[in-house]
Amino acid sequence: MNVHIKWLSLFVGSTFGTLVIFVGAVVGLVDSTAMMTYKRSMVAFKLARLEQAQRQPHVIFVSGSNALYSIDSMSIQQRIGRPVTNAAVHWGLALYMVEEVVKRARSGDIIILPMEYSLYTGPTPSETEACYQIAQARTRLKRLDDWILAIRTCPQRWLGYAIILKIQQATIGGGVFSAVAELNPSGDILINTPSKATPRNYAASPTEPPESATGTGFARLERAIRIGKRKGVRFAVTFPVMPMPSKNARLQIERWEKIIRRWAKKNRIDVLSSSDKHYFPSHCFFDTIYHLHRGCSPQNSEIYASAIMRAIRSGRYP
Amino acid sequence: MNFASNGFLFLFLPATIALVWLLASRLNREFLCLLVFGISSAFYLFHSVNFYFLLLISIQFNYGLGILVCQRKKALVIAIAFNLAILFTFKYFDFFIAQAGYDTLNIALPLAISFYTFQQISFQVDRFAGRIQSYPTLITYAAYVTFFPQLVAGPIVRFGQVSRRLQSARPFKASLGRLRLGGAWLVIGLFKKVVLADSLGAVADSAYTNVAQLTFLDAWIGTLAFGLQIYFDFSAYTDIAIGCGLILGLRLPENFDRPYRATNISEFWRRWHMTLSRFLRDYLYIPLGGNRHGPWRRVLNLFIVMLLGGLWHGANWTFVLWGGLHGIFLAFLSLWKKFGVTLPPLAGWFVTFLFVTLAWVAFRANNIGDTAHIWLMMAGTEGVVLPPSLSGLARFLGVETEIRPLAAFNLLNLTLVFAAMTAVLLAPTTRQFALWRRRPFAQAFILGVLFAVAVILMQDGSGRFIYFVF
């Protein structure tokens, strides 16, 4: 009996000891991992552009990597005659970015949200966001559940990769720690040159869209929009780029578009363009079905620019 | 309720242990079995409410027929036909009418149907053969069929393996010693599932979700990862089941014995999913004639058994192909042995591992077309594309090849697969580690660390066991 109790006590003790060490390591180390530094530099660079003291009203795109890769802000800027900021970041931080952009937005700004599949429909904060926030702004994780999510997710997502990157850096070199060198002044990514594209025979795969635009993600988005509107910011939604869909996928995408249009109407938000305007052939994609290369991103940008121009001409935007 | 979930580990299991601990000495056998049947029913109802009544009907009917089956062949035929009819209706009917070109009825697959049906068939056959001397009460029988650790995904337990305990005065009881031993099995199983199987599953998924884009290296790493994932996943489930069983006082049979160390395919099947292998051997292969009617009949029997064993896993041609491949390889080995040729152990291991790995493609792929495509990729028919991290290697070797990021192949995944393979071949088995008595406190310390890591990385709802769908 005594031996069993000792054994179980040691088991429980080592379990708790490991938990304490693990939590400490995550909270203390995740901030300095390569991936975290990369993401933070990208977010900081984009938000800094909106924090400039004297600036004109901007057109600001916020979304996931779809917009990060597939928008040529410079060409939109030239076409509409207003500064454009591409504040899109990789998936998982889009909602966080909407809130941060709204904080820095000013009257006259137009925030455009290309509504990627599932960007706002999953649980919030997403694993990526929880992990990011634990390093970046610990105070923003208000619920114990969010902390647990972050503690569990960070090591899986980033610590493992950080170790591999460190080994890779020490042996064969490489490893990106700052995103700034990969961005142009407007925030578009620069690495997606056509010469580095990996052409494949892409087709949009049908993804089951949600039944309605509800859930904590949409609730957060609506809250951010309300705050923005009070500051005199205008909002518009549009759709992300995707490969030519099959008949089945097209039905799914059309269903998603209907849901978004209904949601936009309810929240009095403009819909700038329809989803079918953003279908592209396989050779336009850079590495995945979400990212255009720079040979095709101007075409996509032209669609956005024309839609914005139409809205300005019709007097919907100041 | 998933074994690898907070709800199970921190609510359901402790509550069950506490109940059994408190009541084991106060209740008689029937009430204890009733208690465990109630707990197991709750466990099933967490998963599936709709098909709980099917489970009850199946238990009731089998119990009633079992009384008649003793020495009566007609009753045995009816009992087996009843069980197979349930299995066919819910698992295969849609598949076969779809093959015949009719519209499917979209019949949902009841949870655990493959396992409890086979378990009850084994009960009827053993009853007929006179291997069950003392017929259990209905409550004892219900507790045997539904015992929650093994209900959803096995191991397939024969009544004879647990009858002595179930029909004793105290069939279920908990103690500190049992908690320690069962807990060790459980923790190792949990670690295997959460840390190894789920990580390897992510590698396999990244390869198999976009089959059209696969490259040579993706196909190989994805398939190796899947072969390791299914081993860790299924053996983890069995470890947790055995652990829970031990904690509650019921010893369940083991299902795996380092199958990837097998040096021929016959040995592989003696080490892989052992309770299913034994079931197929005793209730199908031997009744078909086994090896009693000459080598060609043996070959045919092996092929039929493996084909049906494949189909048991699911209503899909990929499973039939997987079973058929194993049948062919077993038949080939049987003829090979007849000529008295033997391979050196290392060569035998390599050929067996290679074959098993290639056969996993059929098991994991969505359809036969994908299977063929992945095999072609693994054969290198489309050349070899290297990831940027290996571009230096290409330059060093002076090879001109396409270089781009790959879906599944990267240094992290390669390290993971290599580490998992090393563990499969060299690490002690769960039994060895759980029974490691030389340094009990080192064992407790290691298990505590493993448990903490598993709990930290465990994510509710994300890591369902592969065999839950069979």
Side-chain angles (χ1 to χ4, degrees), chain A residues 1 3-8 10-11 14-15 18-19 22 127 151-152 156 160-161 164 168 172 198 200-201, chain B residues 6 176-177 179-180 187 213 389 404-405 412 440-441 443-445 447-449 451-452 455-459:
Chain A
M1 177 71 94
V3 177
H4 293 320
I5 289 174
K6 265 189 191 169
W7 190 94
L8 287 167
L10 190 61
F11 171 78
S14 69
T15 300
T18 308
L19 283 172
F22 208 95
E127 291 171 351
I151 298 285
R152 279 185 173 170
Q156 276 183 329
Y161 286 101
I164 296 293
Q168 189 178 328
I172 53 177
T198 52
R200 299 177 212 184
N201 190 20
Chain B
N6 292 330
L176 282 177
L179 186 62
R180 176 178 158 184
V187 168
Q213 313 299 339
S389 56
R404 61 175 153 90
L412 183 67
F441 298 118
Q443 183 200 38
F445 177 78
L447 286 171
V449 173
F451 184 61
V455 167
I456 288 163
L457 299 182
M458 185 175 70
Q459 292 180 44

Side-chain angles (χ1 to χ4, degrees), chain A residues 2 6 34-35 38 52 59 101 130 138 142 146-147 163 188 193 196 203 226 231 234 265 270 273 280-281 287 294:
Chain A
N2 212 4
K6 265 189 191 169
M35 207 67 83
Y38 178 86
Q52 291 161 8
V59 170
V101 165
R138 282 166 201 156
K142 296 211 166 54
D146 298 345
W147 276 88
I163 292 164
D188 303 334
T193 54
K196 286 184 182 167
R226 280 198 300 275
K231 293 165 82 173
R234 307 298 296 259
K265 195 175 174 186
D270 288 333
S273 57
F280 282 83
D287 54 355
R294 302 195 69 75

